[in-house]
Coordinates of all heavy atoms in Angstrom, one line a residue:
M25 N 0.8 -1.2 0.0 CA 0.0 0.0 0.0 C 0.9 1.2 0.0 O 1.8 1.3 0.8 CB -0.9 0.0 1.2 CG -1.8 1.2 1.3 SD -3.1 0.9 2.6 CE -2.7 2.3 3.7
S26 N 0.6 2.2 -0.9 CA 1.4 3.4 -1.0 C 0.5 4.6 -0.6 O -0.7 4.6 -0.7 CB 2.0 3.6 -2.3 OG 0.9 3.8 -3.3
I27 N 1.2 5.6 -0.1 CA 0.5 6.8 0.3 C 0.7 7.8 -0.8 O 1.8 8.1 -1.3 CB 1.0 7.4 1.6 CG1 0.7 6.4 2.7 CG2 0.4 8.7 2.0 CD1 1.3 6.7 4.1
D28 N -0.4 8.5 -1.3 CA -0.4 9.5 -2.3 C 0.3 10.7 -1.8 O -0.2 11.3 -0.9 CB -1.8 9.8 -2.8 CG -1.8 10.7 -4.0 OD1 -0.7 11.1 -4.5 OD2 -2.9 11.0 -4.5
P29 N 1.5 11.1 -2.3 CA 2.2 12.2 -1.7 C 1.6 13.6 -2.0 O 1.8 14.5 -1.3 CB 3.6 12.1 -2.4 CG 3.3 11.4 -3.7 CD 2.2 10.5 -3.4
A30 N 0.8 13.6 -3.1 CA 0.1 14.9 -3.4 C -1.4 14.7 -3.2 O -2.1 14.1 -4.1 CB 0.4 15.2 -4.9
P31 N -2.0 15.3 -2.2 CA -3.4 15.1 -2.0 C -4.2 15.9 -3.1 O -3.7 16.8 -3.6 CB -3.6 15.8 -0.6 CG -2.5 16.7 -0.4 CD -1.3 16.1 -1.2
H32 N -5.4 15.3 -3.4 CA -6.2 15.9 -4.4 C -6.9 17.2 -3.8 O -7.3 17.2 -2.6 CB -7.2 14.9 -4.9 CG -6.6 13.7 -5.5 ND1 -6.0 13.7 -6.7 CD2 -6.5 12.5 -5.0 CE1 -5.6 12.5 -7.0 NE2 -5.8 11.7 -5.9
P33 N -7.1 18.2 -4.6 CA -7.7 19.4 -4.1 C -9.2 19.1 -3.8 O -9.8 18.3 -4.4 CB -7.6 20.4 -5.2 CG -7.4 19.6 -6.5 CD -6.7 18.4 -6.0
I34 N -9.7 19.8 -2.8 CA -11.1 19.7 -2.5 C -11.9 20.9 -3.1 O -13.2 20.8 -3.2 CB -11.4 19.6 -1.0 CG1 -10.9 20.8 -0.2 CG2 -10.8 18.3 -0.4 CD1 -11.2 20.8 1.3
T35 N -11.3 21.9 -3.5 CA -11.9 23.0 -4.2 C -11.0 23.5 -5.3 O -9.8 23.3 -5.3 CB -12.2 24.2 -3.2 OG1 -10.9 24.7 -2.7 CG2 -13.1 23.9 -2.1
V36 N -11.6 24.2 -6.2 CA -10.8 24.8 -7.3 C -11.4 26.2 -7.6 O -12.5 26.5 -7.2 CB -10.9 24.0 -8.6 CG1 -10.1 22.7 -8.5 CG2 -12.3 23.8 -9.1
R37 N -10.6 27.0 -8.2 CA -11.1 28.4 -8.6 C -11.9 28.2 -9.9 O -11.9 27.2 -10.6 CB -9.9 29.3 -8.8 CG -9.3 29.6 -7.4 CD -8.2 30.6 -7.6 NE -7.5 30.8 -6.3 CZ -6.7 31.8 -6.0 NH1 -6.4 32.7 -7.0 NH2 -6.2 32.0 -4.8
I38 N -12.6 29.3 -10.3 CA -13.5 29.3 -11.4 C -12.8 28.9 -12.7 O -13.3 28.0 -13.4 CB -14.1 30.7 -11.6 CG1 -15.1 31.0 -10.4 CG2 -14.9 30.8 -12.9 CD1 -16.3 30.1 -10.3
P39 N -11.6 29.4 -13.1 CA -11.0 29.0 -14.3 C -10.6 27.5 -14.3 O -10.8 26.8 -15.4 CB -9.7 29.8 -14.4 CG -9.9 31.0 -13.5 CD -10.9 30.5 -12.4
E40 N -10.2 26.9 -13.2 CA -9.9 25.5 -13.1 C -11.2 24.7 -13.2 O -11.2 23.6 -13.9 CB -9.2 25.2 -11.8 CG -8.8 23.7 -11.7 CD -7.7 23.3 -12.7 OE1 -7.2 24.1 -13.5 OE2 -7.3 22.1 -12.6
A41 N -12.3 25.1 -12.6 CA -13.6 24.4 -12.7 C -14.0 24.4 -14.2 O -14.5 23.3 -14.6 CB -14.6 25.1 -11.8
C42 N -13.8 25.5 -14.9 CA -14.2 25.5 -16.3 C -13.3 24.5 -17.1 O -13.8 23.7 -17.9 CB -14.0 26.9 -16.9 SG -15.1 28.1 -16.3
R43 N -12.0 24.5 -16.8 CA -11.1 23.6 -17.5 C -11.4 22.1 -17.3 O -11.5 21.4 -18.3 CB -9.6 23.9 -17.1 CG -8.6 23.2 -17.9 CD -7.2 23.3 -17.4 NE -7.0 22.6 -16.1 CZ -6.9 21.2 -16.1 NH1 -6.9 20.5 -17.1 NH2 -6.7 20.7 -14.9
I44 N -11.6 21.7 -16.1 CA -11.8 20.3 -15.8 C -13.2 19.8 -16.2 O -13.3 18.6 -16.4 CB -11.5 20.0 -14.3 CG1 -12.4 20.6 -13.3 CG2 -10.1 20.3 -14.0 CD1 -12.2 20.3 -11.9
T45 N -14.2 20.7 -16.3 CA -15.5 20.2 -16.7 C -15.8 20.4 -18.1 O -16.7 19.8 -18.7 CB -16.6 20.9 -15.9 OG1 -16.5 22.4 -16.1 CG2 -16.5 20.7 -14.4
G46 N -15.1 21.4 -18.8 CA -15.4 21.7 -20.1 C -16.6 22.7 -20.3 O -17.0 23.0 -21.4
I47 N -17.0 23.2 -19.1 CA -18.1 24.2 -19.1 C -17.5 25.6 -19.3 O -16.6 25.9 -18.6 CB -18.9 24.1 -17.8 CG1 -19.6 22.7 -17.6 CG2 -20.0 25.2 -17.7 CD1 -20.2 22.5 -16.3
G48 N -18.1 26.4 -20.1 CA -17.6 27.7 -20.3 C -17.9 28.6 -19.1 O -18.7 28.3 -18.3
R49 N -17.1 29.7 -19.0 CA -17.1 30.6 -17.9 C -18.5 31.2 -17.7 O -19.1 31.1 -16.5 CB -16.1 31.7 -18.1 CG -16.0 32.7 -16.9 CD -14.9 33.7 -17.2 NE -14.9 34.7 -16.3 CZ -14.1 34.7 -15.2 NH1 -13.3 33.7 -15.0 NH2 -14.1 35.7 -14.3
S50 N -19.2 31.7 -18.7 CA -20.5 32.3 -18.6 C -21.5 31.2 -18.1 O -22.3 31.5 -17.2 CB -20.9 32.9 -19.9 OG -20.1 33.9 -20.3
K51 N -21.5 30.1 -18.7 CA -22.4 29.0 -18.3 C -22.2 28.6 -16.9 O -23.2 28.3 -16.2 CB -22.3 27.8 -19.3 CG -23.3 26.7 -19.0 CD -24.7 27.2 -19.3 CE -25.7 26.1 -19.1 NZ -27.1 26.7 -19.3
L52 N -20.9 28.5 -16.5 CA -20.6 28.1 -15.1 C -21.2 29.1 -14.1 O -21.9 28.7 -13.1 CB -19.1 28.0 -14.9 CG -18.7 27.4 -13.5 CD1 -19.1 26.0 -13.3 CD2 -17.2 27.6 -13.3
Y53 N -21.1 30.4 -14.4 CA -21.7 31.4 -13.6 C -23.2 31.3 -13.6 O -23.8 31.5 -12.5 CB -21.2 32.8 -14.0 CG -19.9 33.2 -13.4 CD1 -18.7 33.3 -14.2 CD2 -19.7 33.3 -12.0 CE1 -17.5 33.7 -13.6 CE2 -18.5 33.7 -11.4 CZ -17.4 33.8 -12.2 OH -16.2 34.2 -11.7
E54 N -23.8 31.0 -14.7 CA -25.3 30.8 -14.7 C -25.7 29.6 -13.8 O -26.7 29.8 -13.1 CB -25.7 30.4 -16.2 CG -25.7 31.6 -17.1 CD -26.2 31.1 -18.5 OE1 -26.9 30.1 -18.6 OE2 -25.8 31.8 -19.5
L55 N -24.9 28.5 -13.9 CA -25.2 27.4 -13.0 C -25.0 27.7 -11.6 O -25.8 27.2 -10.7 CB -24.4 26.2 -13.4 CG -24.7 25.6 -14.8 CD1 -23.6 24.7 -15.3 CD2 -26.0 24.9 -14.9
I56 N -24.0 28.5 -11.2 CA -23.8 28.9 -9.9 C -24.9 29.8 -9.4 O -25.5 29.6 -8.3 CB -22.4 29.6 -9.7 CG1 -21.3 28.6 -9.9 CG2 -22.3 30.4 -8.4 CD1 -19.9 29.3 -10.1
K57 N -25.3 30.8 -10.2 CA -26.4 31.7 -9.9 C -27.7 30.9 -9.7 O -28.5 31.2 -8.8 CB -26.6 32.7 -10.9 CG -27.6 33.8 -10.6 CD -27.7 34.9 -11.6 CE -28.7 35.9 -11.2 NZ -28.8 37.0 -12.2
A58 N -28.0 29.9 -10.5 CA -29.2 29.1 -10.4 C -29.2 28.1 -9.2 O -30.2 27.5 -8.8 CB -29.4 28.3 -11.6
G59 N -28.0 28.0 -8.5 CA -27.9 27.1 -7.4 C -27.6 25.7 -7.7 O -27.6 24.8 -6.9
D60 N -27.2 25.4 -9.0 CA -26.9 24.1 -9.4 C -25.5 23.6 -9.0 O -25.3 22.4 -8.9 CB -27.1 23.9 -11.0 CG -28.5 24.1 -11.4 OD1 -29.4 23.8 -10.7 OD2 -28.7 24.7 -12.5
I61 N -24.6 24.6 -8.9 CA -23.2 24.3 -8.5 C -22.9 25.2 -7.3 O -23.1 26.4 -7.4 CB -22.2 24.6 -9.7 CG1 -22.5 23.6 -10.8 CG2 -20.8 24.5 -9.2 CD1 -21.6 23.8 -12.0
P62 N -22.5 24.6 -6.2 CA -22.2 25.4 -5.0 C -20.9 26.1 -5.1 O -20.0 25.6 -5.8 CB -22.2 24.3 -3.9 CG -21.8 23.1 -4.6 CD -22.4 23.2 -5.9
T63 N -20.7 27.2 -4.3 CA -19.5 27.9 -4.2 C -19.2 28.3 -2.8 O -20.1 28.3 -2.0 CB -19.4 29.2 -5.1 OG1 -20.5 30.0 -4.6 CG2 -19.6 28.9 -6.6
I64 N -18.0 28.6 -2.5 CA -17.5 29.1 -1.2 C -16.8 30.4 -1.5 O -15.9 30.4 -2.3 CB -16.6 28.0 -0.5 CG1 -17.3 26.7 -0.3 CG2 -16.1 28.6 0.8 CD1 -16.4 25.6 0.0
K65 N -17.2 31.4 -0.8 CA -16.5 32.7 -0.9 C -15.5 32.8 0.2 O -15.8 32.7 1.4 CB -17.5 33.9 -0.9 CG -18.4 34.0 -2.1 CD -17.6 34.4 -3.3 CE -17.3 35.9 -3.3 NZ -16.7 36.3 -4.6
V66 N -14.2 33.1 -0.1 CA -13.2 33.4 0.9 C -12.6 34.8 0.5 O -11.9 34.9 -0.5 CB -12.1 32.3 0.8 CG1 -11.0 32.7 1.9 CG2 -12.7 31.0 1.1
G67 N -13.1 35.8 1.2 CA -12.7 37.2 0.8 C -13.3 37.4 -0.6 O -14.5 37.2 -0.9
S68 N -12.5 37.8 -1.6 CA -13.0 38.1 -2.9 C -12.8 36.8 -3.8 O -13.2 36.8 -5.0 CB -12.2 39.2 -3.5 OG -10.9 38.9 -3.6
M69 N -12.3 35.8 -3.3 CA -12.0 34.6 -4.0 C -13.2 33.6 -4.0 O -13.8 33.4 -3.0 CB -10.8 33.8 -3.4 CG -10.4 32.6 -4.1 SD -8.8 31.8 -3.5 CE -8.8 32.3 -1.8
T70 N -13.6 33.1 -5.2 CA -14.7 32.1 -5.3 C -14.1 30.8 -5.5 O -13.3 30.5 -6.5 CB -15.6 32.5 -6.4 OG1 -16.1 33.8 -6.2 CG2 -16.8 31.5 -6.5
L71 N -14.4 29.8 -4.6 CA -14.0 28.4 -4.7 C -15.1 27.5 -5.0 O -16.2 27.7 -4.5 CB -13.3 28.0 -3.4 CG -12.1 28.8 -3.0 CD1 -11.6 28.3 -1.6 CD2 -10.9 28.6 -4.0
V72 N -14.9 26.6 -5.9 CA -15.9 25.6 -6.3 C -15.5 24.3 -5.7 O -14.5 23.7 -6.1 CB -16.1 25.5 -7.8 CG1 -17.2 24.6 -8.2 CG2 -16.3 26.9 -8.4
P73 N -16.3 23.7 -4.8 CA -16.0 22.3 -4.3 C -16.0 21.3 -5.4 O -17.0 21.2 -6.2 CB -17.1 22.1 -3.2 CG -17.7 23.4 -2.9 CD -17.5 24.2 -4.2
I74 N -15.0 20.4 -5.4 CA -15.0 19.4 -6.4 C -16.2 18.4 -6.3 O -16.8 18.0 -7.2 CB -13.7 18.5 -6.2 CG1 -12.4 19.4 -6.5 CG2 -13.7 17.3 -7.0 CD1 -12.3 19.8 -8.0
K75 N -16.6 18.2 -5.0 CA -17.8 17.3 -4.8 C -19.0 17.9 -5.4 O -19.9 17.2 -5.9 CB -18.0 17.0 -3.3 CG -16.9 16.0 -2.8 CD -17.3 15.6 -1.4 CE -16.2 14.8 -0.8 NZ -16.5 13.4 -0.7
G76 N -19.1 19.3 -5.4 CA -20.2 20.0 -6.0 C -20.3 19.8 -7.5 O -21.3 19.6 -8.1
L77 N -19.1 19.9 -8.1 CA -19.0 19.7 -9.5 C -19.4 18.3 -9.9 O -20.1 18.0 -10.9 CB -17.6 20.0 -10.0 CG -17.1 21.5 -10.0 CD1 -15.7 21.6 -10.4 CD2 -18.0 22.3 -11.0
E78 N -18.8 17.3 -9.2 CA -19.1 15.9 -9.4 C -20.6 15.6 -9.3 O -21.2 14.9 -10.1 CB -18.3 15.0 -8.5 CG -16.8 15.0 -8.8 CD -16.0 14.3 -7.7 OE1 -16.4 14.1 -6.6 OE2 -14.8 14.0 -8.1
G79 N -21.2 16.2 -8.2 CA -22.6 16.0 -8.0 C -23.5 16.5 -9.1 O -24.4 15.9 -9.5
F80 N -23.1 17.7 -9.6 CA -23.9 18.3 -10.7 C -23.7 17.5 -11.9 O -24.7 17.2 -12.6 CB -23.3 19.7 -11.0 CG -23.9 20.3 -12.2 CD1 -25.2 20.8 -12.3 CD2 -23.1 20.4 -13.4 CE1 -25.7 21.3 -13.5 CE2 -23.6 20.9 -14.6 CZ -24.9 21.3 -14.6
L81 N -22.5 17.1 -12.3 CA -22.3 16.3 -13.5 C -23.0 14.9 -13.4 O -23.5 14.4 -14.4 CB -20.8 16.1 -13.8 CG -20.1 17.4 -14.1 CD1 -18.6 17.2 -14.2 CD2 -20.7 18.0 -15.4
E82 N -23.0 14.3 -12.2 CA -23.7 13.0 -12.0 C -25.2 13.2 -12.2 O -25.9 12.4 -12.8 CB -23.4 12.4 -10.7 CG -22.0 11.9 -10.5 CD -21.6 11.5 -9.1 OE1 -22.5 11.6 -8.2 OE2 -20.5 11.1 -8.9
G83 N -25.7 14.3 -11.7 CA -27.2 14.6 -11.9 C -27.5 14.8 -13.4 O -28.6 14.3 -13.8
V84 N -26.7 15.5 -14.1 CA -26.9 15.7 -15.5 C -26.8 14.4 -16.3 O -27.6 14.1 -17.1 CB -25.9 16.7 -16.1 CG1 -26.0 16.8 -17.6 CG2 -26.1 18.1 -15.5
E85 N -25.9 13.5 -15.9 CA -25.7 12.2 -16.5 C -26.9 11.4 -16.3 O -27.4 10.7 -17.2 CB -24.4 11.6 -16.0 CG -24.1 10.2 -16.6 CD -22.9 9.6 -16.1 OE1 -22.6 9.7 -14.8 OE2 -22.1 9.0 -16.8
K86 N -27.5 11.4 -15.1 CA -28.7 10.6 -14.8 C -29.9 11.0 -15.6 O -30.6 10.2 -16.1 CB -29.0 10.7 -13.3 CG -28.1 9.9 -12.5 CD -28.4 10.0 -11.0 CE -27.4 9.2 -10.1 NZ -27.6 9.4 -8.7
K87 N -30.0 12.4 -15.8 CA -31.1 12.9 -16.6 C -31.0 12.5 -18.1 O -31.9 12.1 -18.7 CB -31.1 14.4 -16.6 CG -31.6 15.0 -15.3 CD -31.6 16.5 -15.3 CE -32.0 17.1 -14.0 NZ -31.9 18.5 -13.9
V88 N -29.7 12.4 -18.6 CA -29.5 12.1 -20.0 C -29.7 10.6 -20.2 O -30.3 10.1 -21.2 CB -28.1 12.5 -20.5 CG1 -27.7 11.9 -21.8 CG2 -27.9 14.0 -20.4
S89 N -29.2 9.8 -19.3 CA -29.3 8.3 -19.5 C -30.6 7.7 -18.9 O -30.9 6.6 -19.2 CB -28.1 7.6 -18.8 OG -28.1 7.8 -17.4
G90 N -31.3 8.5 -18.1 CA -32.4 7.9 -17.4 C -33.6 8.2 -18.2 O -34.5 7.7 -18.7

């Protein structure tokens, strides 16, 4: 058993959220405003929880395949 030396991030900033999901910046902000994707504000910085992105994408996948 090995230990992963680089822990995975639990949040990402908006540009990284766009990059890893393929969702455009404007659409991502629409989804955030609609409450579909959660965010965390730290000062002026907006962080997007990875679990929130995964949950949103899983929900979309279920709608498409279901």
Side-chain angles (χ1 to χ4, degrees):
M25 180 168 117
S26 65
I27 297 174
D28 186 1
H32 300 287
I34 58 172
T35 62
V36 292
R37 293 184 181 191
I38 296 293
E40 182 69 0
C42 293
R43 187 188 71 74
I44 63 177
T45 62
I47 297 171
R49 183 179 173 92
S50 297
K51 185 62 177 178
L52 184 67
Y53 276 114
E54 285 178 27
L55 293 167
I56 290 169
K57 186 175 181 181
D60 295 327
I61 295 176
T63 60
I64 300 167
K65 290 293 281 185
V66 179
S68 62
M69 183 174 28
T70 302
L71 300 174
V72 182
I74 295 293
K75 288 187 185 254
L77 289 174
E78 291 171 341
F80 170 74
L81 293 173
E82 287 171 5
V84 170
E85 183 179 40
K86 285 180 184 174
K87 287 181 185 177
V88 172
S89 63

